[in-house]
Amino acid sequence: MSTQNAINWPEKYLPGTGDNFVSNEVIVPGVTAARVWRFLTDTSQWEGYYDNVADISFPQGDGPRLKDDLAFSFGTFGFPPLDARVVEFQAPAEGTPGRLSWTAKQDGAPEERLDVLHAWLVEDLPGGRVRILTQETQIGQPAAALAQERPNPMLNGHQAWLDGLVGAASE
């Protein structure tokens, strides 16, 4: 029997407590967590395999590789660029999953405010497989509106990100 790891959730963003939550996962053969990690943490690669991200910038001059406590901004889902900060960064290693999460915020009038935690877990599985799990909790009126759309654009957008990430790492 094998157990799988889970996302580490700060209490504020626990799934089911915000206005929108989605979970996407793939398990694929023939690629390693280390290779996936390289494409996930290098933001200069994102636009090459995911078309729902734009305007990535690093206000403090760092980047393009993500690291713990790094501030960055990016546009997605039609929102103006969100101010983001990496809050968990652990590269995958033997027996240890890769963990990446960031908060992203949009300030403004109450109907524009958005507060997000987007988390990733990347782990090697037996048999030459890799598991990639991405989950996001969103808080705010724009998130509640997204959650009512069918199909849910965030669910589909994150699946496109996963599919593109696997494709890039498999080349």
Side-chain angles (χ1 to χ4, degrees):
M1 182 160 120
S2 169
T3 59
Q4 295 179 336
N5 289 287
I7 301 292
N8 296 327
W9 286 102
E11 187 173 340
K12 176 181 179 180
Y13 300 101
L14 282 174
T17 64
D19 296 303
N20 196 11
F21 171 78
V22 298
S23 179
N24 298 71
E25 176 180 37
V26 295
I27 298 175
V28 295
V31 68
T32 65
R35 181 139 172 90
V36 169
W37 189 255
R38 193 178 100 212
F39 284 91
L40 176 59
T41 60
D42 183 353
T43 63
S44 70
Q45 301 289 322
W46 288 4
E47 290 181 62
Y49 65 81
Y50 180 51
D51 64 7
N52 190 27
V53 67
D55 303 320
I56 302 166
S57 66
F58 299 88
Q60 297 167 346
D62 295 322
R65 292 204 172 274
L66 299 178
K67 62 183 181 181
D68 197 37
D69 202 38
L70 177 72
F72 66 108
S73 70
F74 65 99
T76 188
F77 293 102
F79 294 115
L82 302 169
D83 295 323
R85 179 167 300 278
V86 175
V87 295
E88 184 178 30
F89 187 96
Q90 172 186 291
E94 182 69 34
T96 304
R99 295 181 178 278
L100 172 64
S101 63
W102 61 75
T103 57
K105 298 181 184 199
Q106 176 178 285
D107 292 324
E111 64 274 7
E112 297 171 346
R113 284 190 207 129
L114 190 60
D115 186 356
V116 169
L117 183 93
H118 190 155
W120 296 83
L121 188 138
V122 181
E123 63 182 329
D124 287 314
L125 298 176
R129 301 170 301 145
V130 70
R131 174 181 177 234
I132 310 166
L133 172 66
T134 187
Q135 297 180 326
E136 181 168 318
T137 293
Q138 296 181 334
I139 302 165
Q141 290 180 24
L146 271 179
Q148 296 305 310
E149 291 185 38
R150 294 293 178 266
N152 185 313
M154 192 167 66
L155 185 68
N156 289 339
H158 286 179
Q159 190 63 47
W161 198 339
L162 276 176
D163 295 344
L165 177 59
V166 168
S170 297
E171 293 178 357

